[in-house]
Amino acid sequence: MARFSVRFLGCKVSHTDARAVRERLLADGHTEVADGGDVAVVNTCCVTHEAVSKSRQAASRAARTHARVYVTGCGANLAGALEGLPENVSVLAKPSEDTPAAVAGAVGAIGCVQADNRLDRVRAFVKIQDGCSFSCTFCVIPLVRGATRSRSAAAVLAEIRRRAAQGHREIVLTGVNLGCFRDRAAGYSLARLVREAGAIDGVERLRLSSIEVNHVSDELVSALRETPTVSPHLHVPLQSGDDGVLQAMGRRYSVATYLRKLEPLEDFNLTSDVIVGFPAEDDKAFGRTMRIVEQAGLTKVHVFPYSPRPGTATAADDTVSPAVKKERSARLRAASQAACERHWRRKLGADDLVLVDRPGRGYGDDYSPWLLDAPVGALVRARAVEVSEEGIVAVAG
């Protein structure tokens, strides 16, 4: 029996992949520990140079305290990214769906299958799709995760039933490009999956992790609005508010399309991603991004300074200085924080159902952060009394 730990870097998909490895090792009879242990699994990220650096650091740290380290995930699949690690580190370059079996085979089963293991979180991330078949000029994900592919609707719905039965009150549908989900044989689009997932007994809250604006269709908007358990929150990457930069990025929409697609969701809490300092971005282009973030009504914006990725069309291009990237990133983050606080202030004096996912903190129905004293895992009604930099200060009851 091995004592093991699993950690992940990067996005919610990476978290879901790491969880799959964890559950496989538990099912094989191994024991999870918080510190030390015999085996460490590090599920890595490579979306930026910094992500690769952090992944290498995590693997190196684990190698000093564990007999064996298995490196998985996007970084493991990027050629050359994780070379030169200590001898007790094995880099497993596998598709995400094959990784749990690969790690389990390397660790070795002990012939003792445990009962189903509940996750430690109050929400469960259920992956419905992986990979991407599009060709954004800056993005390494198609290289490390492969072409788009979907799980069967039956498998997804079965997992959601299992997670709900385990006591998870919120289900988050996740994937690399959620709008590409299809189960043609069974006649499922993403909209139909949303409707059926939201109707499963025990699912009290359903969200999408992220979706490209091209896939925000009338059919999907109707499903989001007409499914009572769906949270009024949607994360829709913008990347830039300038049409010239979007074209250089290989994005498949214009600024006007982005704004038009989000109009039917103006009462949702809309969050986004933006890349700052892309090679085609000058001061005027960045100024347009700032204006579009405000015009679209976006609150939380995840800001990513441009980082050239090997194997991409823009791998050799990095024309914006680090100082300019830093300054633009700071401006956009400040605007995002101000937008969040304006959104939170509109809730003062109002009630909301808050899912408490850690001590002193939880999320309201639209995924706004609430700060309150309530048991972890509880879904409690709370009243907003104040706004801080961290979220909405509330009292339960």
Side-chain angles (χ1 to χ4, degrees), residues 352-389:
D352 199 357
L353 282 174
V354 178
L355 180 61
V356 183
D357 64 352
R358 70 196 80 172
R361 186 182 177 96
Y363 288 90
D365 195 29
D366 70 351
Y367 207 53
S368 293
W370 288 62
L371 311 176
L372 75 166
D373 184 16
V376 174
L379 187 63
V380 300
R381 183 159 294 281
R383 172 156 294 185
V385 296
E386 190 180 343
V387 167
S388 75
E389 292 184 355

Side-chain angles (χ1 to χ4, degrees), residues 14 30 343 387:
S14 178
H30 302 294
H343 180 70
V387 167

Side-chain angles (χ1 to χ4, degrees), residues 65-117:
T65 55
H66 295 77
R68 291 177 287 165
V69 178
Y70 297 100
V71 175
T72 61
C74 290
N77 285 280
L78 182 61
L82 299 177
E83 291 180 347
L85 290 168
E87 291 185 358
N88 61 331
V89 177
S90 298
V91 179
L92 302 182
K94 299 285 184 181
S96 60
E97 53 266 47
D98 297 337
T99 298
V103 174
V107 175
I110 63 173
C112 173
V113 178
Q114 294 189 357
D116 199 16
N117 294 282

